[in-house]
Amino acid sequence: MTKRRMFLRMITASLLRRRSRMLIALLSIGIGATILAGMVTIYYDVPRQMRAQMRSYGANMLLLPEDGETLNSEKLANTLSQFPEDALVGAAPYRYVRLDMTSRQQSFTTAGTDFEQVLKTSPYFSVEGEYPSGTRQVLVGKEIADTIGVKVGSSMELTWQPAVTASTGDPSDDWQPGAALAGSAEGFGGSMVSVTAKLDDEAKISEITVDASTQTPEYGGRTAEDKPFLKQFIGKALPLEMGGDIDALTGATVTSTAVVEALNTSHAAAAGAQPRTVRYDVTGILVTGGEEEGYVFMSLEDMQSLTGEDKLDVAELSVSADEEQLNGYVENITQSGQGVTARLVKRVTKSETAVLGKLQALVFLVTVVVLLLTMICVSTTMMAVVSERRREIGLRKALGASDNSIRVEFLGEGMFLGMLGGVLGAVLGFVFAQVVSVNVFGSSITFQPLLLPITVIVSMAIAALSCLMPIRRAVAIDPALVLKGE
Amino acid sequence: MALLELKNISKIYGELKALDNVSLHVDKGEWVAIMGPSGSGKSTMMNIIGCMDKPTKGEVLLDNVDISKESSKHLTDIRRDKIGLIFQQFHMVNYLTAVENVMVSQYYHSMPDEEEALEALGRVGLRERARHLPSQLSGGEQQRVCVARALINHPELILADEPTGNLDEANENIVLELFRQLHREGTTLIVVTHDPEVAEAAQRTIVLEHGRVAREIINENFVD
Ligand SMILES: Nc1ncnc2c1ncn2[C@@H]1O[C@H](COP(=O)(O)OP(=O)(O)OP(=O)(O)O)[C@@H](O)[C@H]1O
Ligand SMILES: [Mg+2]
């Protein structure tokens, strides 16, 4: 038998055959290690959990089109694909359009969005009734609902007015009766003839201007000035029929036809952008206490079929990441050349970081205090063990144990206890953290393999430290005094 | 040849002279008994000889080494290598079995050897009780384990402080018989006792009174 085996035999005998005393020491180390392991797990897991939790405070990132660019579904999808899957909690697209409720002579800012995503990015939204789930359904902000007196189950007619006059591409905010039509068509010799016309309230032509400067002045060129020719157009509704509604100017048939064609083409283009009215069912009233109550919400599909265009103004993103990661995502998106910029909602990001920092500091502090208490507890127990074993220590010394042997034996026992307590603590601590996580955050955590060695090593270190004072006392025991027969 | 030589040693506790100018000469292989009333300084003397205490004055030569000047670390080495101790209270490590208790002595001395430890227990007639804990042994059996432990490392000197103080007649005889065997093997024995019968088994008896050697009795009837 080697010395080491005898050493282990003595230590295990001491632990196994003096159970009650050692159980107390083991228990205190075990509890300390449990709390340590639990706290470490929570320390590393809480930011993840909390971040997910805090996403309920709303979006923390906005995607916007760059100046002069437009945002649409495809660009949004491309941008979102840059996020790791588990980081993206939700991404709600928004298209804001002003719609008229003609019956009440009111108009409301209406948002087309994806309600499934809104639930994720704005979980604090509260809805009386339900979110729209089909087509031709709207969610009405409480403020609007109160003003116009709509309830869940009632319906409202909303009218979209094209914001842009047909074919000129000239943006003008409000479509007015008397909006201009403009177009051009191939005239004589393939040169272009341009026409602008104004429409009255009944969409009949009230004014017409022809630019035929590209045509031969004596022939086609005359269409621009010939009053009788131009007069034929006034009061007529589009489209026009050549020969029916309009007679060609003599000697300028080709140019006259081009004028009619230009009007018809631009009218056809404008027809797609004509006001449209749709009746929507109100499925819910939105209560947020914020400015959202002044909006009407409908699905993006409804918005697209109403306006005939796939366009987004902004997307609100809820991203689960720390501030540094968020900044990284912003950088990536801005550099991806999609014409999309990302912006952080600073208020949300900052407060998240601050809260998490404080929480971690708290957990750290509690852990340190618990470890100190554990140390005091283990130290006290070991102190009691030493005085209980005074005779034995004296005897060992009388039998020839050097001070170092005594130190090594006690340290060995202490660290063995530390190891047992550490393993026990790692397992119990994980269970403890799991229970906390499930009860507080409603989600489970994964076991960190590193937790076991860390807990065991720290427990052994704590046990060793706790043994220092007791060992000093053990070494000081005088064998002569002990053996004299107390 | 002298194994132990005490030269005018005194041990003074404040006013009290536990040992007062004591001199003693013990030859290698000799068997000496020490008697005296309670408080006369017997245990004090044993502790000094056993390298667990130092005299206030005087020299202690063990194997021609002056142990009264050694550091306590060195004293531990000397005790471990040369001396086997037996105590009145038969101190055992209470969570170790009989054989393990014997092996503890081997462990500090050199190498634990279970076979040898079992043999030593056999010598004191306790081979079958080797796996028993002290609480499962009688006082006499425990003292016999302590004898086995004291002799396991083949010390030159065995110091026994009232080894039979708590034993009945039968166990006392077993222990005395073991001492006789050890004496025959050449081990030097110093035995403190109150019991004249135990003292008579030795070759020589030193009587202490008030820390001084009062008289010395040679046992004429000693049979080797
Ligand atoms: N550490 C100490 N401090 C003070 N006095 C002590 C100390 N150790 C022993 N003494 C005293 O020294 C004297 C001798 O004690 P010692 O133990 O040697 O006696 P003893 O002969 O062994 O007695 P007993 O037969 O009762 O065991 C006693 O009066 C005792 O009180
Ligand atoms: Mg005594």
Side-chain angles (χ1 to χ4, degrees), chain A residues 105-126:
Chain A
Q105 292 175 330
Q106 298 258 12
S107 68
F108 314 116
T109 300
T110 305
T113 187
D114 179 343
F115 290 108
E116 224 169 88
Q117 296 298 319
V118 168
L119 276 171
K120 292 173 187 162
T121 56
S122 307
Y124 54 90
F125 275 15
S126 129

Side-chain angles (χ1 to χ4, degrees), chain A residues 435-453:
Chain A
V435 167
V436 168
S437 181
V438 167
N439 284 312
V440 177
F441 301 109
S443 77
S444 65
I445 46 181
T446 46
F447 186 78
Q448 298 282 329
L450 220 58
L451 186 69
L452 187 67

Side-chain angles (χ1 to χ4, degrees), chain A residues 161-163 165 172-176:
Chain A
Q161 308 279 14
T165 56
S172 80
D173 278 332
D174 291 299
W175 188 89
Q176 308 268 334

Side-chain angles (χ1 to χ4, degrees), chain A residues 481 484, chain B residues 13 16-19 36-45 53 88 161-162 192 194 208:
Chain A
L481 281 180
K484 210 170 268 175
Chain B
Y13 295 111
L16 183 91
K17 289 184 172 175
L19 287 177
S38 189
S40 58
K42 305 181 295 293
S43 293
T44 305
M45 192 161 113
D53 210 348
Q88 179 177 5
D161 195 347
E162 298 192 43
V192 170
H194 281 294
L208 287 183

